[in-house]
């Protein structure tokens, strides 16, 4: 999730994570915050869609539970 697409803030990541959605959301929000993204205060247990903001970059992250796994889609939003 390093934003190394054509413009540094482009492209998307789609993957399946082997944890429940709530735990996956907390893990990814924490990792993205560590990468410099800010997120509105939301409870990862209650939402499945997050918008993150960093200087000159925005991302949308969507999580969808599937059986005992979680589908994660992170899309870099271009200006």
């Amino acid at each position: 999730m390093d934003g190394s697409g054509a413009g540094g803030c482009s492209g998307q990541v789609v993957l399946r994570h082997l944890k429940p959605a709530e735990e996956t959301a907390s893990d990814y929000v924490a990792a993205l915050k560590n990468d410099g993204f800010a997120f509105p205060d939301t409870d990862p247990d209650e939402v499945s869609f997050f918008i993150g903001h960093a200087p000159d970059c925005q991302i949308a992250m969507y999580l969808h539970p599937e059986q005992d796994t979680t589908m994660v889609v992170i899309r870099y939003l271009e200006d």
Side-chain angles (χ1 to χ4, degrees):
M1 296 185 311
D2 64 0
S4 60
C9 184
S10 62
Q12 66 183 6
V13 176
V14 179
L15 55 94
R16 183 178 310 276
H17 208 279
L18 299 176
K19 294 182 180 179
E22 297 81 12
E23 190 175 349
T24 300
S26 294
D27 289 350
Y28 276 83
V29 167
L32 289 163
K33 282 183 176 180
N34 191 48
D35 286 345
F37 285 90
F39 291 87
D41 288 331
T42 54
D43 185 349
D45 294 342
E46 296 179 6
V47 298
S48 61
F49 188 77
F50 301 84
I51 298 290
H53 304 273
D56 300 323
C57 192
Q58 292 185 62
I59 59 169
M61 180 173 67
Y62 173 72
L63 296 101
H64 179 74
E66 291 189 10
Q67 297 177 0
D68 294 331
T69 66
T70 303
M71 177 70 69
V72 180
V73 178
I74 299 174
R75 177 148 179 86
Y76 290 89
L77 305 174
E78 299 177 47
D79 290 335

